[in-house]
Amino acid sequence: MELGFSQDIKSKEKTVIPIVQKNTLKKIRKDTLILPKKDSLLLKNKDSVVNDSLKPKESIEDIIIHTAKDYTIQNAKEKTVTLYNEANINYTDIDLTAGIVIIDYKKNTLFAKGILDSTGYSQRPVFKQGGQESEQDSIVYNFKSKRALIYGLKTKQGEMFTYGTKTKRVNDSTIYIRKIRFTTSEKKVPDYYIKTNKAKLVPGKKIIVGLSNLVLADVPTPLVLPFAYFPMTETSTSGFLIPAFDTGSSDRGVGLQNGGYYFAINDYVDLTLTGDAWANGSWGLRASSNYTKRYRFNGTFNFNYESNISGIRGFDNFSKNNRFNIRWSHSQDAKASPNSRFTASVNVGSSKFFRESLNQFNAALNQNNTLNSSINYSKTFVGTPFNMAVTASHQQNTNTESITMTLPSLTLNMNRVYPFAGKNGVKKNPIQKLGFNYNMQGQYLINTTDDEFFTPRMFQTAKSGVQHRTGTNTNIKAFKYFTLSPSVNYQESWNFNYIEKQYDATKQEVVTDTLTGFKTFRTYNAGVSLSTNIYGTFNFKKGRLKAIRHTFRPTISYSYRPDFGTKFKREVQQSDDPNDFLSYTIFDQSLYRAPGSGLTNSVGISLNNVLEAKMAPKDPDSDEEDEKIMLLNNLNFNTSYNFAADSLRWANVSFNAGTRLFKDKLALNLNGSLNPYQVNDEGRTIDKFNPNIFRLQNATLTANYSISSSDFDKKDDKKDKNGNGANNPTDTMGADIDPTNRQGIPGGQQSMNNQKGGTKKADLYNAKIPWSINLVYAANYRNTGIAPGEIQNHTLGFSGNIELSPKWKIGYSSGYDIKGGAFSFSRFNFSRDLDSWQFNFNWVPFGSISSYTFFIGVKSSTLSDLKWDKNKPPDRLF
């Protein structure tokens, strides 16, 4: 009996295909002619056949498992197996799906292709091995050599799609491709691709190509590269950063920017070194590093140094300056240490760095006139009421170039303790409520300037000292509705620097000597306050308004402090007149100044008001609860009367009020000061009340309002999900514009765009145009009492975004000085999502920092150098 072939219609069951050697096949045929019922020899032959089929030694390493939707044809004579429609092959780590699969055991090959039907060419073979996957028109794979020949290849390596006409797979790590296209576009018809005749692909590592040409929308461009190298590793890899060519937008000439090297040090830290160079000799150097360790900490570090040259050497307009900036941000994970924490936020450098930088233009930092830094370490001592903090801080005014630093500041706090509390901490009576607290702060303070920064001279005028504070208070229920709160406070100050003044008769001037030594002074005060809450409700019977509730919180307080200033006052002769004396204290230039002169024996008055409304539901038959609306968040008045003063006993009445309207979209705040006394012709306050009791000395009104197209949607009851309301004021100064950003995208804009090269669907008809407007209004009034009061500052700021289409966005921010009649700092940014590309144009049209940045390039980081960016920094006046 001769073995032929069998056909299984619509067989979807898994079948083990044995690979049978030639001599084994003859044994099967011979045995099938004899067919003895029981023969031990035959059983042995069966065993050998099974072993050969399951564990072939010559070419097949494992069992081949297959499935097919329509049929499976096994041809024993030709040693082939044919699978049709949704065929699937599993062999070792290979997973193959295709329309048609043919296995040839004679040649040890596998052939797969798609199915051609009325819909076109479908079920193209998809070949998976390990972590690699490819799609092709057809494939021939050799089990023995593990080589493959592929036609019409499509594969993805990281963010890169590869299309090849003919591909030769040498082994698992090397693939040669002819007539190949590379792109990061996910479309079936790519937006762009790089075309080349031959390339070598090492899966998961790199792609090396020869002469290549950039093609946009199937149109070849003049851009040709002799060769290209694309790293495809999933981990960071060290490599060169290609510089950008600057055509010379100012007198510095042509140059190169942002060229350098990237160091992938390890999985926890990296380093980027870049630099700039121009024809006139200007240059810059930058170093940036990112570091992180899971569950421990993360941070970034940036160092910038620039040597800027303006004008021509030898001429009067020549100038040269060196500028630097250091930024460091460090954050500790809360899980790293629950009882201690280390954080850092450093921004220190030359005051004019951001105004004169030839590379970096940051709109927000350019407008900001202060630089601040803080390095903090805090620790809580478990089981005790104590906690400690060590802080190094830095404040720098970029206009005056003055710098104040604390290196360091040590603070030790003791949380309030109740030594007389009852069992289990029960506090019922005033004695049990008696609490004590303690605070110690030591500082080493440095005041310097830009010129003396980081020089030994900055330490010559440093001041140091320690201050201790402690106090106790309690509260007593008085007259059922009142709360009486007495308190006592004590303060002791230690200074390690003081001064001595003496008159130099030769120079006829007062000479001040700064001395080092331990000097101390102590102060204390006592006080008591009486407060209560008064509630008033006004009910309404008609309409949705059911009631208005008024909460009134009056507080009257008394404080007493002895006259400590007289004890430290000294006098020194200041002229030839022996009766002409200058008063001073030895602590006038110390870290902690001497206490003020005069006895304090005053009564303070504070009145706080809150207004709330209760609104019934719109639908009377609904089960919704009444809605509470805040009408007036606060309306506060504060003043005091000093019995010990010989004149001007009443202090100014300060007031502040605030409310939020239109579902918290409008925030209004008003604060100011009322002066009860008159002023003379010289502008000095005299002990005489105003005819109208109070004179409005100063007042400030601010309003923030935010509105967007989403507010007009049907679902208008919910608040803005982005939180962009009155409680979250927007940045009216505009987003950062930084040409060192690879894509030139303003701060906050980058998250709005799809950075992975995906396609965003656009509604071409009846498309909505989302928009947002944020308004900031501010007015400041001042009345000196001599001339009529006037508004000193009167400005209106506005910013927002307009989404002309799902892929076109326009952002803007500006302001108008109503009093001065001029626009303030303005910026505009235009963004276009080009699917796999990104376009951005940022523009500051006028002012001292008028400039622009232009960028168009591929979103994917793999082809980040495929871009064109251009920027015009502001004109630098050194």
Side-chain angles (χ1 to χ4, degrees):
M1 177 177 169
E2 194 72 17
L3 286 179
F5 66 88
S6 62
Q7 180 174 346
D8 299 331
I9 305 300
K10 295 184 179 180
S11 171
K12 295 184 68 175
E13 298 180 357
K14 292 185 178 180
T15 305
V16 178
I17 304 176
I19 304 303
V20 185
Q21 306 300 327
K22 187 174 182 180
N23 57 350
T24 307
L25 183 60
K26 291 181 178 180
K27 289 180 182 180
I28 295 176
R29 291 175 179 173
K30 188 176 181 180
D31 292 341
T32 55
L33 293 175
I34 300 174
L35 292 177
K37 291 183 179 180
K38 292 183 180 180
D39 194 320
S40 59
L41 295 176
L42 178 61
L43 294 177
K44 292 180 180 180
N45 289 337
K46 274 190 175 183
D47 293 339
S48 65
V49 172
V50 174
N51 290 336
D52 288 341
S53 62
L54 293 178
K55 300 181 65 177
K57 298 179 181 179
E58 294 186 4
S59 56
I60 306 300
E61 300 177 355
D62 202 351
I63 296 173
I64 300 176
I65 301 175
H66 72 81
T67 61
K69 183 177 181 180
D70 283 357
Y71 59 77
T72 301
I73 300 176
Q74 300 184 22
N75 189 330
K77 182 178 180 179
E78 300 296 332
K79 293 186 179 179
T80 62
V81 176
T82 303
L83 310 175
Y84 185 82
N85 196 5
E86 297 183 10
N88 178 256
I89 294 292
N90 282 281
Y91 169 70
T92 61
D93 62 342
I94 296 175
D95 184 1
L96 174 66
T97 59
I100 300 174
V101 177
I102 301 174
I103 305 174
D104 190 329
Y105 298 117
K106 288 183 180 180
K107 300 179 180 179
N108 296 318
T109 61
L110 179 149
F111 173 70
K113 65 178 181 178
I115 297 176
L116 185 63
D117 53 21
S118 59
T119 60
Y121 193 65
S122 61
Q123 297 190 40
R124 289 159 51 93
V126 177
F127 186 86
K128 299 179 182 178
Q129 184 172 21
Q132 306 299 322
E133 178 179 344
S134 64
E135 182 181 342
Q136 46 271 316
D137 291 338
S138 62
I139 180 173
V140 178
Y141 179 78
N142 190 295
F143 292 102
K144 186 174 182 179
S145 64
K146 295 184 180 179
R147 296 185 176 185
L149 193 61
I150 302 170
Y151 297 89
L153 171 70
K154 178 186 177 183
T155 184
K156 185 178 182 182
Q157 300 288 325
E159 297 178 342
M160 182 82 74
F161 290 93
T162 304
Y163 300 89
T165 303
K166 184 177 180 181
T167 305
K168 183 178 180 182
R169 180 188 179 100
V170 178
N171 49 48
D172 293 344
S173 61
T174 305
I175 299 174
Y176 293 98
I177 312 174
R178 288 193 175 273
K179 294 183 179 180
I180 187 173
R181 296 177 297 162
F182 297 101
T183 183
T184 58
S185 175
E186 298 181 358
K187 294 181 178 179
K188 291 184 179 180
V189 180
D191 298 325
Y192 79 101
Y193 55 86
I194 298 174
K195 183 180 180 181
T196 184
N197 285 328
K198 57 182 179 180
K200 177 181 178 181
L201 187 151
V202 180
K205 292 186 178 180
K206 58 187 176 182
I207 300 176
I208 304 173
V209 303
L211 184 67
S212 56
N213 175 231
L214 176 64
V215 179
L216 301 177
D218 287 332
V219 178
T221 67
L223 182 59
V224 177
L225 296 176
F227 64 90
Y229 175 86
F230 305 110
M232 307 304 298
T233 57
E234 296 181 357
T235 58
S236 300
T237 304
S238 300
F240 288 97
L241 301 175
I242 300 175
F245 183 71
D246 185 9
T247 56
S249 55
S250 66
D251 60 355
R252 64 181 181 270
V254 297
L256 297 175
Q257 288 184 288
N258 302 319
Y261 197 84
Y262 174 79
F263 297 90
I265 299 175
N266 53 42
D267 293 338
Y268 305 104
V269 62
D270 66 357
L271 175 64
T272 303
L273 295 177
T274 57
D276 311 324
W278 284 273
N280 74 334
S282 299
W283 59 275
L285 177 66
R286 286 173 302 283
S288 63
S289 177
N290 298 279
Y291 59 90
T292 182
K293 191 170 184 180
R294 181 180 290 185
Y295 307 127
R296 299 291 295 177
F297 54 79
N298 64 82
T300 60
F301 177 83
N302 293 275
F303 171 76
N304 298 267
Y305 184 88
E306 293 186 4
S307 177
N308 301 325
I309 295 176
S310 177
I312 302 175
R313 192 180 301 272
F315 288 81
D316 295 337
N317 64 344
F318 176 81
S319 65
K320 180 180 179 180
N321 61 72
N322 299 321
R323 302 286 186 243
F324 75 95
N325 179 262
I326 298 174
R327 280 171 287 172
W328 176 35
S329 176
H330 178 91
S331 178
Q332 177 181 309
D333 195 300
K335 299 177 183 178
S337 178
N339 300 318
S340 63
R341 185 171 180 81
F342 177 79
T343 59
S345 177
V346 175
N347 185 8
V348 62
S350 303
S351 296
K352 297 181 179 180
F353 175 80
F354 291 104
R355 299 177 186 176
E356 299 180 354
S357 173
L358 295 177
N359 185 280
Q360 203 166 13
F361 171 39
N362 186 303
L365 289 176
N366 193 299
Q367 294 296 300
N368 191 6
N369 60 358
T370 59
L371 300 179
N372 297 284
S373 305
S374 176
I375 302 175
N376 181 272
Y377 173 78
S378 60
K379 181 176 180 59
T380 300
F381 299 95
V382 181
T384 71
F386 293 95
N387 60 80
M388 178 192 70
V390 180
T391 303
S393 63
H394 151 266
Q395 297 84 35
Q396 183 173 351
N397 189 309
T398 58
N399 290 332
T400 63
E401 299 186 2
S402 62
I403 301 173
T404 301
M405 304 177 68
T406 55
L407 296 174
S409 172
L410 172 64
T411 302
L412 179 65
N413 287 304
M414 182 187 75
N415 297 330
R416 189 173 298 277
V417 296
Y418 300 90
F420 306 110
K423 190 176 182 180
N424 298 326
V426 175
K427 297 181 283 290
K428 293 183 178 181
N429 55 57
I431 299 299
Q432 292 177 337
K433 295 178 181 178
L434 194 64
F436 294 86
N437 67 294
Y438 169 76
N439 170 269
M440 182 204 71
Q441 184 182 40
Q443 289 187 21
Y444 184 80
L445 182 67
I446 298 174
N447 289 302
T448 186
T449 62
D450 258 23
D451 296 334
E452 298 181 355
F453 198 33
F454 288 139
T455 65
R457 288 180 296 174
M458 64 182 286
F459 299 98
Q460 294 177 0
T461 58
K463 306 172 184 178
S464 58
V466 179
Q467 194 170 70
H468 307 266
R469 296 188 184 94
T470 186
T472 180
N473 62 12
T474 186
N475 60 81
I476 306 169
K477 205 69 177 178
F479 308 110
K480 191 177 181 179
Y481 300 107
F482 294 88
T483 300
L484 188 67
S485 302
S487 63
V488 176
N489 297 289
Y490 173 82
Q491 178 177 295
E492 182 170 328
S493 300
W494 299 349
N495 285 309
F496 301 105
N497 310 90
Y498 65 97
I499 62 172
E500 292 283 356
K501 291 180 180 290
Q502 58 182 355
Y503 179 70
D504 189 334
T506 304
K507 297 180 179 180
Q508 295 184 350
E509 63 180 16
V510 177
V511 179
T512 302
D513 295 326
T514 302
L515 306 175
T516 301
F518 178 76
K519 298 291 182 178
T520 182
F521 63 87
R522 301 163 185 82
T523 63
Y524 55 86
N525 64 78
V528 62
S529 66
L530 183 67
S531 62
T532 187
N533 291 334
I534 301 174
Y535 302 96
T537 303
F538 305 91
N539 297 314
F540 299 88
K541 297 182 179 180
K542 294 182 180 181
R544 290 185 56 207
L545 181 60
K546 297 181 68 176
I548 293 179
R549 184 182 184 182
H550 177 211
T551 304
F552 179 55
R553 299 186 178 95
T555 301
I556 184 169
S557 60
Y558 172 76
S559 62
Y560 176 82
R561 194 203 71 165
D563 182 6
F564 297 101
T566 306
K567 178 180 178 182
F568 303 101
K569 184 177 293 187
R570 296 187 181 184
E571 292 183 342
V572 61
Q573 182 179 339
Q574 62 177 344
S575 66
D576 291 337
D577 185 357
N579 297 319
D580 185 12
F581 291 97
L582 172 69
S583 297
Y584 77 99
T585 69
I586 62 174
F587 302 115
D588 282 350
Q589 297 181 16
S590 300
L591 180 63
Y592 302 109
R593 299 292 183 91
S597 301
L599 173 69
T600 300
N601 185 19
S602 64
V603 173
I605 301 173
S606 174
L607 305 175
N608 300 333
N609 300 270
V610 177
L611 284 178
E612 299 172 290
K614 182 183 289 186
M615 302 290 291
K618 295 181 180 179
D619 184 3
D621 299 330
S622 66
D623 296 333
E624 296 180 5
E625 297 182 355
D626 293 340
E627 182 182 2
K628 293 183 179 180
I629 300 176
M630 185 68 68
L631 299 179
L632 191 63
N633 288 33
N634 58 79
L635 176 59
N636 305 328
F637 298 91
N638 296 277
T639 188
S640 63
Y641 183 84
N642 190 358
F643 293 98
D646 56 356
S647 61
L648 305 176
R649 294 182 175 180
W650 281 104
N652 287 357
V653 178
S654 61
F655 64 90
N656 63 82
T659 186
R660 292 183 175 89
L661 304 173
F662 306 117
K663 297 183 179 180
D664 286 350
K665 292 206 171 283
L666 174 63
L668 292 172
N669 290 282
L670 174 67
N671 60 79
S673 176
L674 301 173
N675 195 326
Y677 297 104
Q678 298 181 18
V679 294
N680 57 20
D681 296 336
E682 298 177 355
R684 298 180 60 182
T685 304
I686 60 177
D687 194 14
K688 185 177 181 180
F689 289 108
N690 289 299
N692 298 326
I693 304 179
F694 291 110
R695 170 173 52 88
L696 181 60
Q697 183 169 300
N698 58 74
T700 301
L701 173 65
T702 60
N704 296 274
Y705 184 71
S706 175
I707 187 172
S708 65
S709 57
S710 60
D711 297 331
F712 298 93
D713 294 340
K714 292 182 179 180
K715 295 181 179 180
D716 195 22
D717 296 331
K718 296 183 180 180
K719 295 181 179 179
D720 186 358
K721 293 181 180 179
N722 296 327
N724 192 15
N727 295 325
N728 298 276
T730 57
D731 181 12
T732 57
M733 297 307 298
D736 300 345
I737 302 174
D738 184 359
T740 60
N741 183 338
R742 183 184 63 82
Q743 296 188 356
I745 300 174
Q749 183 88 4
Q750 188 162 355
S751 61
M752 298 168 59
N753 300 316
N754 183 1
Q755 300 303 310
K756 296 182 179 180
T759 302
K760 186 173 181 179
K761 183 178 179 181
D763 298 329
L764 299 180
Y765 300 98
N766 298 323
K768 296 182 179 179
I769 302 180
W771 55 269
S772 66
I773 298 177
N774 308 291
L775 301 174
V776 178
Y777 174 80
N780 180 267
Y781 172 85
R782 184 173 181 80
N783 186 352
T784 60
I786 302 176
E790 63 175 353
I791 296 177
Q792 293 186 325
N793 299 312
H794 196 198
T795 58
L796 175 65
F798 49 90
S799 64
N801 294 280
I802 302 175
E803 191 170 338
L804 299 178
S805 72
K807 297 186 179 183
W808 263 113
K809 295 183 178 66
I810 298 177
Y812 60 91
S813 67
S814 184
Y816 187 75
D817 186 344
I818 300 175
K819 182 180 179 181
F823 282 95
S824 61
F825 171 77
S826 303
R827 65 93 187 159
F828 301 90
N829 64 275
F830 305 87
S831 174
R832 168 66 174 172
D833 184 358
L834 299 170
D835 294 335
S836 54
W837 291 64
Q838 180 67 40
F839 161 78
N840 288 287
F841 179 71
N842 304 291
W843 181 36
V844 179
F846 51 80
S848 60
I849 56 174
S850 61
S851 60
Y852 69 82
T853 62
F854 173 87
F855 171 88
I856 184 170
V858 177
K859 293 180 182 178
S860 170
S861 59
T862 305
L863 295 177
S864 59
D865 292 321
L866 189 56
K867 63 177 180 177
W868 180 41
D869 53 356
K870 174 71 175 177
N871 68 83
K872 176 196 173 297
D875 294 333
R876 308 301 187 184
L877 300 177
F878 302 134

